[in-house]
Structure formats: C-alpha cells, structure tokens
C-alpha cells in the first residue's frame, strides 16, 4: 500500500534552530549579562547544558513545559551570580524567559526547503506533526514561520500525549490524527534514533533527514535517508 500521509518533526527538520545561538547571545547582551561569561562559547555552552538537562526532565514528565523554562532561567542566573539569594520567584523566572522568547520569535525562520516541499506535497498527502514539546509552543512556532496552515490541528506533542518519541504510542497517535494506518505513513525527522528508528519500530516508514550529510549512524535496514526536504517527494515513490 502506498504512503498516503506524512508526519514531521519540527526542530531542525522544518524549523532552523541554528539561529538559536545568535538569539541567546543577543538576549544576554541586551540584559547586560554577556560579559559575565568568559566568552560567547562559554555562554552558549552553559545555555545548552541547562536546556538539555531541564528539557529532559520535561520529556520524562518530571517538569511541565513552563517549569523547565523557569528552572533553566534560575540555574543560569544563579551560576553567573546575578540572582538574589533563594533564587527567582516563578513569576520573575517566567518573565525573564518570556523576554528571551519574544526576542527569539523576531528571528525565527524555517529552513528554506521546508515551505516549498510542503506546498508540493500538500495536494497528494495528509500532513501532520509529531514533536517532543508543548503543543501550544509548537503551534505558535509553526504559525510564526508560516507553516501552520499545512498541518491545521494535526499536531501531536509529547506534553498532551503523555509520552515522548521514540515511544511507539506517540507515532501511532500521529497516524490516528491523519486517519491512516502506520504502514501508510512516513515520519521525517533529523534525529536518527529518536525520529527515524523510533518511527520505523512503530511500524511507520522512517525517514532520516541527514542535513549535514554525516551518514554516521550506519543506517538500519528499513530507515530511508534524505539530505534535504527537496528530496522527499522522489523518495516517497
Ligand atoms: Mg528535531
């Protein structure tokens, strides 16, 4: 049976989070905090360390999406010695992070191949999103970069679903949102294990978007590799 539906990862697949570094540095500079770090690399290193650690706590259900943002803010400011004793209140931490997000939204961008690929694929396939994130957050992001109309309300995110990729259940929920069986659906994502292998194990067609052309993972049988979304339509047939 042919592929009739496509589910996409968002970050680093449709949305270029590479612009995050510039946003982080600009926000820290604007807040007068950048000179607290040895250099830009140290600032980005700490930002990424805290994001990775506290986002993992969100993904395993320990923290809400908003709470991981507050924890990152509290620890960042404590580590550079600017927060008051006892740390920031929830309100202060949320306000600080909201300032960053406002700044970030202004510089958001999709990958140049994302919109043209979706426009080409939309007439022939049902399209949706499966993401390890908050539904509201990803809806706003996709709206901000102009891609939301391609997906409508077919956004399955781990916060509402209750489990994160590579759990099979979240891929299957995506298929249900499209009204299709797993073998009729392809999943496209930039993370080999979490996206492509996870989808493949759940019974979908797993496509690994290897933008950096690393091919490093030693691709499993059953996982297809593309290097750009421009290649997707041809790879589906
Ligand atoms: Mg991704």
């Amino acid at each position: 049976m042919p592929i009739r539906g496509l589910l996409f990862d968002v970050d680093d697949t449709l949305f270029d989070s590479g612009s995050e570094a510039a946003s982080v540095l600009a926000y820290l500079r604007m807040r007068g905090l950048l000179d607290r770090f040895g250099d830009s690399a140290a600032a980005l290193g700490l930002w990424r360390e805290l994001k990775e650690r506290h986002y993992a706590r969100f993904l395993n259900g320990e923290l809400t999406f908003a709470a991981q943002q507050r924890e990152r803010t509290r620890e960042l400011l404590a580590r550079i010695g600017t927060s008051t004793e006892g740390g920031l209140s929830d309100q202060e931490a949320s306000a600080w992070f909201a300032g960053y997000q406002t700044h970030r939204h202004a510089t958001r961008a999709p990958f140049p191949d994302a919109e043209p690929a979706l426009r080409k694929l939309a007439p022939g396939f049902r399209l949706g999103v499966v993401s390890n994130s908050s539904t509201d957050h990803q809806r706003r992001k996709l709206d901000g970069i102009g891609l939301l109309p391609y997906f409508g309300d077919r956004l399955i995110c781990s916060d509402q679903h209750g489990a994160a990729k590579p759990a099979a259940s979240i891929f299957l929920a995506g298929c249900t949102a499209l009204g299709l069986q797993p073998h009729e659906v392809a999943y496209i994502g930039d993370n080999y294990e979490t996206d492509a292998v996870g989808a493949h194990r759940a019974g979908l067609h797993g496509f690994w978007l290897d933008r950096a052309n690393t091919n490093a993972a030693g691709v499993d049988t059953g996982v297809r590799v593309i290097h750009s979304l421009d290649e997707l339509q041809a790879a589906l047939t």
Side-chain angles (χ1 to χ4, degrees):
M1 188 170 286
I3 294 171
R4 299 170 61 198
L6 308 175
L7 293 169
F8 289 86
D9 170 55
V10 176
D11 297 319
D12 298 312
T13 294
L14 300 173
F15 171 67
D16 184 1
S17 73
S19 55
E20 181 184 41
S23 303
V24 169
L25 294 176
Y27 186 60
L28 292 174
R29 190 178 298 114
M30 193 183 94
R31 304 289 304 219
L33 298 175
L34 195 53
D35 56 9
R36 299 265 180 163
F37 298 88
D39 53 27
S40 297
L44 290 173
L46 180 58
W47 182 273
R48 287 181 182 135
E49 176 202 323
L50 298 179
K51 180 177 177 180
E52 200 168 311
R53 180 146 41 82
H54 294 297
Y55 205 80
R57 297 173 69 201
F58 156 67
L59 289 179
N60 71 25
E62 192 187 327
L63 295 176
T64 64
F65 193 74
Q68 59 85 23
Q69 296 176 335
R70 293 196 294 268
E71 287 302 295
R72 287 160 59 184
T73 302
R74 284 198 182 97
E75 190 171 341
L76 180 81
L77 298 185
R79 295 263 291 264
I80 60 173
T82 64
S83 67
T84 52
E85 197 154 335
L88 304 178
S89 69
D90 278 2
Q91 202 177 5
E92 289 166 331
S94 295
W96 194 94
F97 201 90
Y100 162 67
Q101 287 193 300
T102 302
H103 198 78
R104 179 98 179 96
H105 292 178
T107 58
R108 276 179 169 171
F111 283 104
D113 59 5
E115 202 280 331
L118 293 172
R119 189 169 358 111
K120 213 160 35 166
L121 293 161
F125 297 89
R126 300 182 199 176
L127 307 179
V129 158
V130 172
S131 172
N132 282 354
S133 185
S134 136
T135 313
D136 289 345
H137 181 74
Q138 295 299 55
R139 185 179 293 117
R140 277 198 301 271
K141 184 186 290 178
L142 289 167
D143 193 26
I145 61 175
L147 302 183
L148 188 62
Y150 290 107
F151 303 111
D153 57 1
R154 298 174 303 280
L155 260 61
I156 305 296
C157 290
S158 58
D159 68 335
Q160 282 192 348
H161 174 71
K165 297 177 294 184
S169 67
I170 193 165
F171 292 107
L172 300 179
C175 297
T176 302
L178 298 186
L180 296 171
Q181 297 296 315
H183 64 267
E184 299 176 291
V185 177
Y187 187 82
I188 302 97
D190 69 289
N191 188 298
Y192 176 72
E193 283 293 332
T194 307
D195 294 330
V197 176
H200 177 64
R201 290 203 179 119
L204 289 73
H205 302 267
F207 280 75
W208 179 34
L209 176 57
D210 178 21
R211 287 192 179 277
N213 203 0
T214 57
N215 262 332
V219 171
D220 243 17
T221 49
V223 167
R224 310 273 296 271
V225 186
I226 54 173
H227 301 289
S228 152
L229 293 174
D230 297 333
E231 299 170 18
L232 183 57
Q233 190 164 44
L236 289 167
T237 55

